[in-house]
Each structure stands twice: as structure tokens, then as C-alpha cells.
Amino acid sequence: MTGHTADALRDFTRRYLESWEQQRGHGPESEALYGVPSPCIVSSGDAVVRWRPQPFTLAKNLDAVGRALEIRINEQVVALYTSQFAGDMDAEFMGRPIALLQTWSEADFTRVQENLIGHLVMQRRLKQTPTLFVATTASELEIIAVDNLTGAVVLEKLGTSIRQPLAGDLPQFLAALRPAI
């Protein structure tokens, strides 16, 4: 499943980059990432940074997350976060605006792992099955996550057990995404 997820991410990333080129005449840019160091930076100025994905240079695992909670992390999520360094990518899933989360740099990868640990600790306290977030939504109360046990992608209402199935697995979810520029 790791290879399928990495392939699906590469395909979505290609479509995302092509959309930027077609609509704006250049690669992705971000105001939010301006001034934040990353190997992805192509240029910066006027309070924006232009970027291109770069190869992931760290060990391809989320072992720190697994060790902290004594669980095995779903390989799809490992592949999503360790295939490349990139900025978060705006997309639509079945008409719903989302931001596909990525790691921007080595330092950001550490932050993502810490946030995953915090999310899983909260779920453990609430006696919920573990999920790992992979995208944000327009609502601060909802995230898109992978069920760590089944691998299904769900829309999760934070702090509750409400989870709406979205896709059978992460590659299927990524294939259904449409770039939003």
C-alpha cells in the first residue's frame, strides 16, 4: 500500500503543479510559508514564496509517533508524510474544499509528528479508535483522517466519535482530489 500511496501522491502533485502553471503561469506560491526555511523554496519576494516539491531526505517512517503511543502507524500515512517535502496543497474532494497536508522541511516533519501524537493522545483519552489527520477542511472542527486500523479515509468531527466515510483508502482519496488554485 505504501507504493500505491506514494504513486497517488506523485500523481496529485503533478496535477497540482500543472494547474498552477496553467492558471497562473508559474509554480505554487504561498504567503503563509514566506520566510519559513525549506528545501522547496524556488524564490521569495513580495511576501510570498514560490516552491516546488523536493525529495524527502529523512528516514521514511513515523516511528516516533508509533513509539509514543505504542501502536503501529498505518503505512499509507507514513507514505503520505515521507514521500516528499512540499507545501500544503489546496484541493477539492467531492466539492468540499480541503488542504492536503505535507511536510515543508525537516523541522516541519518534527512538528507534524508532535501534532499527530497530540491528536492520538486526545483520542485515547476519549476512548476513540485512532485516526491520523491528512487534510484540513474549512471548519476548524472537522479534519480528514485515515483510520489507523482499517486504512479508510474519513471526515472526522474533532472531539466526537462522528466519522463519515470518504474513501476506502488513501490512494483512492488522492486520486479523487481536484487541485484548487
Side-chain angles (χ1 to χ4, degrees), residues 17-150:
L17 295 172
E18 287 173 356
S19 288
W20 267 92
E21 288 291 336
Q22 289 170 358
Q23 293 182 34
R24 301 279 178 92
H26 57 76
E29 65 183 16
S30 169
E31 292 178 8
L33 296 171
Y34 180 74
V36 182
S38 170
C40 301
I41 296 172
V42 173
S43 66
S44 61
D46 296 328
V48 298
V49 60
R50 289 197 179 147
W51 61 269
R52 287 202 66 79
Q54 296 298 311
F56 191 79
T57 55
L58 301 172
K60 294 188 181 229
N61 65 60
L62 291 172
D63 290 352
V65 178
R67 279 192 310 271
L69 286 117
E70 298 177 342
I71 62 173
R72 186 169 187 274
I73 302 301
N74 188 290
E75 290 298 318
Q76 299 175 96
V77 177
V78 174
L80 178 75
Y81 285 121
T82 65
S83 291
Q84 64 187 12
F85 287 120
D88 295 346
M89 293 181 274
D90 291 333
E92 283 188 8
F93 179 79
M94 298 175 68
R96 176 188 304 268
I98 66 142
L100 182 67
L101 300 174
Q102 292 286 277
T103 53
W104 180 240
S105 64
E106 291 183 8
D108 189 41
F109 182 63
T110 300
R111 183 192 60 78
V112 167
Q113 289 183 90
E114 290 168 352
N115 288 342
L116 286 168
I117 291 167
H119 178 71
L120 289 165
V121 166
M122 177 190 72
Q123 288 181 318
R124 186 172 277 176
R125 284 186 191 138
L126 296 173
K127 298 184 184 345
Q128 297 172 346
T129 57
T131 63
L132 300 145
F133 53 80
V134 296
T136 59
T137 69
S139 170
E140 292 182 8
L141 300 176
E142 294 179 327
I143 59 169
I144 295 176
V146 171
D147 183 306
N148 196 53
L149 303 176
T150 68

